[in-house]
Amino acid sequence: MFEIAPSILSADFTRLGEEIRAIEAGGAKILHVDVMDGRFVPNITIGLPVVKSIRKVTDLPIDCHLMIIEPSRYAVEFVEAGANMVSVHVEIDPHLQRTLTVIRGAGGQAGVAINPATPLVSLEEALPFADFILLMSVNPGFGGQKFIHTSIDKLRRLRQMIDDRGLETRIEIDGGIDASNIKQITDAGAEIIVSGTGVFGKGNPTEGVRELIEAATVWA
Ligand code: DX5
Ligand code: ZN
């Protein structure tokens, strides 16, 4: 089973409420919100006020992907603003176990995000404290980048790592995913599929979500 999590980074921000209704109509199950600070990644996007606003217009779980330095300073504030899931990057938090525990304590699901060149072994000690892993299949910072093909093998190894430990940790994958590659990705064991351009790129987000679901469910 998989769920589609459209990234609102590629939505039309002047009509964000309508865009959210459109993806709900298509069958989206999670709303992915990319928070960037211009420090950890070379781009600045949106933050707490926008999360508070979108909380009022949707019942979908809100998934905040924090691409910021010092994520532990803000993680709980995102839960309080209405996020159901909050992920922090393993590359930027020296006290990851504490941050994950604090997110859970605030009532959120705690996630660890991991960049393409960061080895999976860096997740090992944090896994029991995480509700999900956000595997990046592009270097974070921008929508519309090309899927890094080695991510499929990394995804399979992460699936194995979680299954070997008998953990329930879910796998989310993010970056460069569209109808052409989603089946390969769900087959390799990803459960939450983030897509920005794949959903919003053609101007019909309802259809965009439906296309992804169909592409992932075709019989081989
Ligand atoms: C990249 C973000 C992604 C991005 C995905 O830094 O984390 O969530 O919005 O967009 P696409 O699907 O266009 O690669
Ligand atoms: Zn993201």
Side-chain angles (χ1 to χ4, degrees):
M1 277 312 291
F2 65 91
E3 295 180 322
I4 304 293
S7 162
I8 62 163
L9 188 58
S10 300
D12 178 350
F13 284 144
T14 64
R15 303 170 33 255
L16 197 47
E18 288 166 50
E19 297 275 78
I20 291 170
R21 276 192 292 283
I23 56 160
E24 286 173 345
K29 291 286 186 283
I30 293 173
L31 199 61
H32 186 81
V33 178
D34 288 303
V35 180
M36 306 186 189
D37 67 351
R39 301 285 308 282
F40 179 60
V41 291
N43 194 9
I44 301 176
T45 56
I46 54 177
L48 290 162
V50 175
V51 175
K52 280 183 195 154
S53 296
I54 60 183
R55 181 68 293 165
K56 294 180 196 148
V57 300
T58 184
D59 291 328
L60 288 180
I62 296 176
D63 167 33
C64 288
H65 175 192
L66 302 188
M67 288 158 276
I68 61 175
I69 62 166
E70 298 186 82
S72 60
R73 276 180 65 182
Y74 299 99
V76 167
E77 280 188 70
F78 277 92
V79 177
E80 288 166 357
N84 305 80
M85 301 162 67
V86 176
S87 60
V88 300
H89 270 266
V90 63
E91 297 85 6
I92 200 74
D93 191 347
H95 308 294
L96 187 56
Q97 190 274 344
R98 181 165 64 204
T99 308
L100 297 172
T101 304
V102 166
I103 293 169
R104 281 179 162 181
Q109 289 177 44
V112 182
I114 179 165
N115 281 341
T118 306
L120 288 178
V121 69
S122 64
L123 297 174
E124 207 166 341
E125 304 302 328
L127 266 184
F129 304 97
D131 297 296
F132 65 102
I133 300 299
L134 175 50
L135 188 76
M136 293 306 301
S137 40
V138 299
N139 289 289
F142 303 94
Q145 302 183 77
K146 193 175 177 307
F147 184 83
I148 297 172
H149 69 91
T150 51
S151 307
I152 297 280
D153 180 59
K154 192 176 184 185
L155 170 58
R156 287 200 190 101
R157 284 182 284 119
L158 175 61
R159 176 81 274 157
Q160 192 69 47
M161 196 171 159
I162 291 169
D163 293 349
D164 284 350
R165 286 164 177 74
L167 295 168
E168 300 284 309
T169 324
R170 300 182 80 202
I171 302 179
E172 178 174 24
I173 183 163
D174 182 6
I177 301 163
D178 58 23
S180 73
N181 57 14
I182 188 170
K183 174 102 174 80
Q184 234 191 323
I185 289 161
T186 51
D187 283 352
E191 295 155 290
I192 303 169
I193 314 297
V194 177
S195 179
T197 316
V199 168
F200 294 100
K202 291 185 199 153
N204 184 341
T206 302
E207 210 36 58
V209 176
R210 284 190 188 137
E211 271 179 30
L212 286 175
I213 295 172
E214 269 167 40
T217 43
V218 287
W219 295 96

